[in-house]
Amino acid sequence: MVVLNVWKNLTLVYLGIVIVCLGGCIKKPTNLQLEVWRKEASDSEALLQAVRNAEILADKAKNNSQRQWNLVIQGETKDGKSKTLNWTELLKLATTNVNTIDANNIITPNQVFKFQGIPVSTLLKNFGVPPEVTEITFVCYDAYQVTVKIQDLLTYPIILALAKDDKPIQRDQGGPLYLIFPYTEYPQIRQKYNEGSWAFYVTHVIFGTEKALVRVGERELNLAALDKLPQVTLNQNVGYRVWWPSSKVKLHGVRVRDVLSLAGIKPQSSVIVTGKPAIYRRNSEPTELASTDINNCNVILATRWGENKQPILAKMGGPVTLAFGNDCPSKTKNKRWVTFVEELTPQI
């Protein structure tokens, strides 16, 4: 509409010039009038180009946000391989409609919406699940995670929604990928999965729990390699966002300084710790550990927890997490406790 209006104004400017001359140029326009008309035409053309550019950029931004939003399937799939589904592939899988209230719609909590999306049961079918895997964890852009039992995914139409009432789901409403539960048709499911289970902007789906593997510089260290290092136990409250006990917890793992030493690295300044969620990978908000902190207090990669040294499952952000001991300075201890740790990157 804006472009049409600009074209209309531009046409009228030129039309004014043409009409004058079609009338036999009885009253010849002055040089000043001609200059005014030229300026108006030039300004209209500039405005038209500016509008065109703005619309192109808006369309590009919209398309890019969709194209760049991928869903990564990882963990204990049948072939054990990671798979990334791009936006086009996700749209093709979004074949199911679920009519339900939106647990995060506090303004009109009883309003029923039509959600269109991907049945998680379809992902189970496409990628295969070994018999010993009983749950799936959904990881979000902001490091939130939600775990759902596979039996429930097969019983109820739980979907990753791409659209709400035939419109793309906005980021502030949980999009582009929003994990929703059919509360209206199956109210009993609310007892198992409360409002906190409706996960915004899902980026990863993890079958079971991945094997521990941390990249340190040019090396990749698995659990067996980490277990050969001196083991440390912290007994304290933890700083992870969700799904951990609120009381003191025992965390078992290895010091970051020992991990770096095993990889043959002596950081001159700091180390950046990167986890799976996209927020950990933003250059503007890195979890950066100064070498003094690494060397002077217990900054650890935790691989087990509890009295019985249980593995840290995906539902808790495992298999490897970053933790800070109470002996660390407050400034260090209050840094982000990273879940789904994948990489340590020394800064030179």
Side-chain angles (χ1 to χ4, degrees), residues 301-315:
L301 294 184
T303 56
R304 296 176 179 86
W305 76 285
E307 295 291 340
N308 299 322
K309 297 186 177 181
Q310 309 163 65
I312 302 176
L313 302 179
K315 66 196 299 182

Side-chain angles (χ1 to χ4, degrees), residues 116-138:
Q116 181 179 359
I118 306 164
V120 182
S121 58
T122 297
L123 300 179
L124 293 172
K125 178 181 177 181
N126 290 354
F127 294 97
V129 184
E132 64 273 15
V133 176
T134 60
E135 56 190 23
I136 283 183
T137 297
F138 301 86

